[in-house]
Amino acid sequence: MTAAPIPCTRHDRVGTDDPLLRRVLAGAGTRHGCELTPLLLALYMHEGQLLATWKCRKDLKSGSAALDAAWHAEEGEGTILHLVPSDAEYDYQEEVMENPFQD
Amino acid sequence: MSEAIAKEPVRAADPAAEKASLKEFFVVSADCHVNEPNDVWAARVDKQFQERLPRIKVDEKGRKWFVAEGIRPSRIREAPRDESVSVNEFVEKSERPHLDRTRGAMFQNQGGINEDRYRDMDYDGIDCEIVFPNKGLVNWHSPDPALNTAMCHAWNVWAYETFGGHSRSFPAACVAPADVEAAVAEIEWAAKHGFKSIMLPPLMKEGKGYNLPEFDPIWAAACDANMPILFHAGTGKDPRSATGNGGALINYVVHAMNTVVQPTVELCVSGVFDRFPKLKFATIEAGAGWVPYTLHAMDFGNYAHAFWVMPKLKYKPSEYYHMHGHSSFETDPIGVELRHRMGVDNLLWGNDYPHIEGCWPHSEEQLKVWGKGLTKQEIAKIIGLNSARLFNIDVPKQFAIA
């Protein structure tokens, strides 16, 4: 079990003490050879979708495979959505809000 | 105040030549939206919230996602759903008339803060607009009331910086109701800074209803500020409850449009208007055809279930709507046909600029459809004068109805 706190800055259904996420992070660290926590900005579930936000693309490339493997080892459902922050311009419209597809 | 926006006279510049009939009326769109800058929140919220703000993230394939607390991540599509078709090809072949005018509203380039906004309004014959958020539609999604309050205030500060003192664009002040004390403070701030209306989400994440007396301080503050409460369809909860086949329409009809029925009923049956007789409200972008049926259902229930109805009301529920409520539509032949059942004075119109499901830039063409058979006076009220009265917008003398 990882000793480091799960990086999670949001207040959502699953908090930072989720035992499943702790096991996944620990397993990923073992596979990767060192803790992944320093590479992550956030790791949380939202309605069954696990989202991992990495600090940068390099960190994503370095750690995502280990996190995927640990997730599947724990029989987590679906695939992890691996993300990095972007400053890209964007808009957000109602049509986007009503999009029924899980993508 | 943005330098891009001049403080124009209230009347629009000449609508395009072919928009002749809209020149006959004072036109107020009760439902427009604005594309805020990326830093609308980041530049204005406390450090403690910075890491929790909505933002764009990019996945391994380079696809953009809009990620915010409390809602499923939204894929930002910059191309048609069929990604084998290029954007240029799609625009070229599209039969959507909007694309001729918007130069890509489909791809979200319209509705910003610059002179184009007012050119677009002039083209469509719009004199004044009530402005709602785009990005800020997620101001209420977090389960954390403190973050909602911070995001709403940041949006309001930005809206004031951008539109403050303007005579054609009137943003609604976003208010997060879960923290009642903070909501009252926000309403007082908005009143002090010249806002004309208050935007509340029709549904609250906590599942509470506006019928509860704990919200009375909000109604009191709104009355003191002489500002109507606006419930914009689809805000407060993620409307994407349905997935898969038919999901887009299920979400649109049931989880976006229908959300405004709840606060309408909550306010009309709970005695709120007996305690706050000056309070006004409007449902926005949810059409109007549902109103007559809802009024009938409330009155029938008030009679048939009288044994359980508490509190006993001074008036029938429908009468509270007639006295206090309004509903905006873009093009709703059913609502217009039933206008006398809900009251011509209670109908508002909006073009939903710049959204693609709205009627901009074809408002006049739509008016010819929904306005068929209406008197000129009825159209004048629906297309602008009712909003002018509700939002305290000055009407040029030549358009006023005695």
Side-chain angles (χ1 to χ4, degrees), chain A residues 93-103, chain B residues 72 77 81 96 106 234 238-258 285 356-357:
Chain A
Q93 297 202 5
E94 289 151 335
E95 192 188 47
V96 175
M97 293 173 74
E98 287 148 14
N99 166 24
F101 296 92
Q102 296 283 1
D103 289 291
Chain B
R72 176 159 58 82
R77 294 183 180 279
R81 183 169 292 283
R96 290 191 76 113
M106 182 74 183
D238 193 341
R240 296 166 301 171
S241 298
T243 59
N245 292 356
L249 297 185
I250 297 166
N251 291 337
Y252 173 68
V253 176
V254 179
H255 301 297
M257 298 298 103
N258 241 5
E285 207 186 320
I356 58 167
E357 74 270 31

Side-chain angles (χ1 to χ4, degrees), chain B residues 48-333:
Chain B
Q48 64 171 312
F49 298 115
Q50 286 289 341
E51 298 234 342
R52 297 172 55 197
L53 297 173
R55 69 173 305 167
I56 289 292
K57 295 180 180 179
V58 179
D59 69 14
E60 295 162 282
K61 295 176 183 170
R63 300 177 304 187
K64 290 183 198 167
W65 295 80
F66 178 74
V67 182
E69 283 194 13
I71 58 169
R72 176 159 58 82
S74 306
R75 169 102 176 270
I76 300 294
R77 294 183 180 279
E78 294 170 300
R81 183 169 292 283
D82 177 358
E83 292 178 33
S84 64
V85 179
S86 73
V87 172
N88 286 342
E89 188 185 350
F90 180 79
V91 172
E92 210 169 276
K93 292 181 177 174
S94 175
E95 291 178 0
R96 290 191 76 113
H98 290 68
L99 292 173
D100 295 337
R101 173 64 187 155
T102 63
R103 303 182 299 278
M106 182 74 183
F107 309 107
Q108 307 166 342
N109 295 322
Q110 207 75 11
I113 316 296
N114 53 42
E115 60 276 11
D116 274 353
R117 184 175 193 87
Y118 295 94
R119 274 201 282 270
D120 289 343
M121 282 173 69
D122 290 345
Y123 180 86
D124 211 26
I126 308 301
D127 295 307
C128 298
E129 58 171 352
I130 306 303
V131 184
F132 293 91
N134 252 14
K135 295 180 176 74
L137 290 169
V138 300
N139 277 338
W140 301 268
H141 277 303
S142 171
D144 181 5
L147 180 60
N148 296 339
T149 297
M151 287 173 61
C152 282
H153 184 64
W155 195 92
N156 294 339
V157 170
W158 171 80
Y160 173 71
E161 291 166 358
T162 305
F163 293 110
H166 201 267
S167 57
R168 296 183 67 183
S169 299
F170 305 108
C174 297
V175 172
D179 181 339
V180 172
E181 197 177 324
V184 168
E186 194 63 37
I187 292 169
E188 290 170 349
W189 182 92
K192 197 175 163 186
H193 288 79
F195 285 77
K196 289 181 178 289
S197 58
I198 296 158
M199 181 183 181
L200 293 180
L203 301 179
M204 284 178 273
K205 285 193 92 76
E206 304 78 17
K208 287 182 177 173
Y210 291 111
N211 56 312
L212 301 176
E214 67 185 73
F215 296 107
D216 277 5
I218 293 179
W219 315 137
C223 289
D224 288 346
N226 196 26
M227 289 197 286
I229 303 288
L230 310 181
F231 298 107
H232 191 291
T235 53
K237 274 188 176 176
D238 193 341
R240 296 166 301 171
S241 298
T243 59
N245 292 356
L249 297 185
I250 297 166
N251 291 337
Y252 173 68
V253 176
V254 179
H255 301 297
M257 298 298 103
N258 241 5
T259 54
V260 300
V261 178
Q262 187 170 324
T264 298
V265 177
E266 287 167 351
L267 291 178
C268 289
V269 303
S270 62
V272 166
F273 295 118
D274 287 339
R275 298 195 297 280
F276 302 97
K278 281 174 59 185
L279 186 65
K280 303 284 185 190
F281 77 98
T283 62
I284 303 295
E285 207 186 320
W290 59 273
V291 175
Y293 171 73
T294 303
L295 301 187
H296 166 75
M298 288 193 295
D299 287 353
F300 177 76
N302 193 44
Y303 163 75
H305 300 270
F307 186 79
W308 295 276
V309 172
M310 285 294 288
K312 299 301 177 194
L313 303 168
K314 283 186 191 172
Y315 301 96
K316 288 195 291 185
S318 62
E319 292 176 302
Y320 290 107
Y321 180 86
H322 292 307
M323 291 186 283
H324 302 272
H326 307 76
S327 296
S328 88
F329 70 96
E330 298 155 21
T331 173
D332 179 359

